[in-house]
Amino acid sequence: MLEITSAEGIYMFDAEGKEYIDLISGIGVSNVGHRHPKVVDAIKEQVDNHLHVMVYGEFVQSPQVKLAHAISTTLPEKMDAVYLVNSGSEAIEGAMKLAKRYTGRSKIVACHDAYHGSSHGALSLTGSESFKQNYRPLLPGISHVEFGSTDQLNQINEETAAFVVETVQGEAGVRYADTNYWKAVEKKCKETGTLLILDEIQCGFGRTGRFWAFEHYDIQPDILVSAKGMGGGMPIGCFISKMEIMQVFTNNPVLGHISTFGGHPVSSAASLATLQVIENEQLLRDIDRKEQLFHKLLKHPKIKAIRSKGLMMAIEFESYDVLKPLIDRAIELGVVTDWFLFNDQSMRIAPPLIITMDEIKKACKIILQAIDDVFPR
């Protein structure tokens, strides 16, 4: 097991000073790289002001206000209410509660092979029985459909509070649907009064080449969930909606959702800096070119397919037994990759958005060397 003692940009270093290219961004977290100077400066500045001072929402805290405003500027005008929490799982929990409270309904539809977190409610949504079987009974009233199938959307009806779905499925191995599917989803939700909750915990904050992945499909969620890449390496998450929906948390009960550490001022400052880095350094401008370079370079008889949406990629091999030694060998050679929870025959590639074309060439050369080392031709 690696012991990492420091990290900078796209690189991590072990106790002996050996360099590793991080091709998974700490599982979708380090979108602007490790210890980006702007993020580190924002953290230090906030630490010099204050840490936790009060339960979220009780005092006005400028890091939270500034972050919420900045997030809202990246979204459609009506999505102007941001609730800050500590993680993706917690954001999903809040979104589920919000949908049930607003609609007065209890049923939720999610997708097979979806991953929404490990807390009890989020786990109930997760679409892998092997992940859930030892923790039952879970939340009732949750059914699952095939992602990308319009034929199964009839399970969304007037009893459904929300359809919770990843805009791009992460742990399924980077699975995505076309615009026709998303338009059908949006139409079905509107017809039935169901809230569309888009989980962009992995695919948001620039990962796919747009700030939000739903921008690829000309749709708009009722509730949007974010975490991972939004913190620049610090723990934070949020769920976002329009004020008309979010305001139901203000009554019956008066504190409809509570978080002691939600929107921690240091994490909020880091998140705001992360958002500004993505925008000011125009990190989304070259994502398509970088994606195409990976496709161009990663060619080998052992590679069966490549699926990608921006810098969220899955390199498919024959089986886990083929993939696992490749991952191990790549780490020995200085490149860190991984597999997916529900797709263990595909290699996860999701580097920091700051990775350069030359660094992509270097990383791909090492991956191909790892394949040849394990399976000599």
Side-chain angles (χ1 to χ4, degrees), residues 226-298:
S226 181
K228 283 188 179 290
M230 71 179 284
M234 293 292 286
I236 192 169
C238 68
F239 57 102
I240 310 158
S241 191
K242 58 183 178 181
M243 188 59 68
E244 174 195 338
I245 295 175
M246 194 73 78
Q247 62 85 31
V248 300
F249 273 159
T250 64
N251 63 84
N252 193 27
V254 65
L255 296 174
H257 195 65
I258 308 172
S259 176
T260 297
F261 293 110
H264 190 282
V266 177
S267 292
S268 293
S271 182
L272 176 60
T274 298
L275 189 155
Q276 291 170 339
V277 166
I278 292 172
E279 292 184 337
N280 295 341
E281 298 186 9
Q282 299 181 313
L283 295 187
L284 307 187
R285 182 181 54 191
D286 293 326
I287 298 298
D288 289 346
R289 290 178 58 239
K290 294 174 180 179
E291 176 186 13
Q292 291 164 13
L293 185 58
F294 273 107
H295 279 264
K296 178 183 177 181
L297 297 177
L298 289 178

Side-chain angles (χ1 to χ4, degrees), residues 174 176 287-300 303 305-315 349 360 364:
V174 188
Y176 39 87
I287 298 298
D288 289 346
R289 290 178 58 239
K290 294 174 180 179
E291 176 186 13
Q292 291 164 13
L293 185 58
F294 273 107
H295 279 264
K296 178 183 177 181
L297 297 177
L298 289 178
K299 295 186 183 298
H300 193 282
I303 295 175
I306 299 179
R307 294 180 300 278
S308 65
K309 200 72 175 174
L311 289 181
M312 186 175 181
M313 313 183 75
I315 315 303
I349 293 183
I360 291 173
C364 289

Side-chain angles (χ1 to χ4, degrees), residues 213-229:
F214 71 81
E215 296 175 49
H216 291 283
Y217 305 110
D218 189 30
I219 59 169
Q220 181 176 327
D222 296 295
I223 303 173
L224 179 65
V225 179
S226 181
K228 283 188 179 290

Side-chain angles (χ1 to χ4, degrees), residues 65 70 86 114 256:
V65 175
N86 303 289

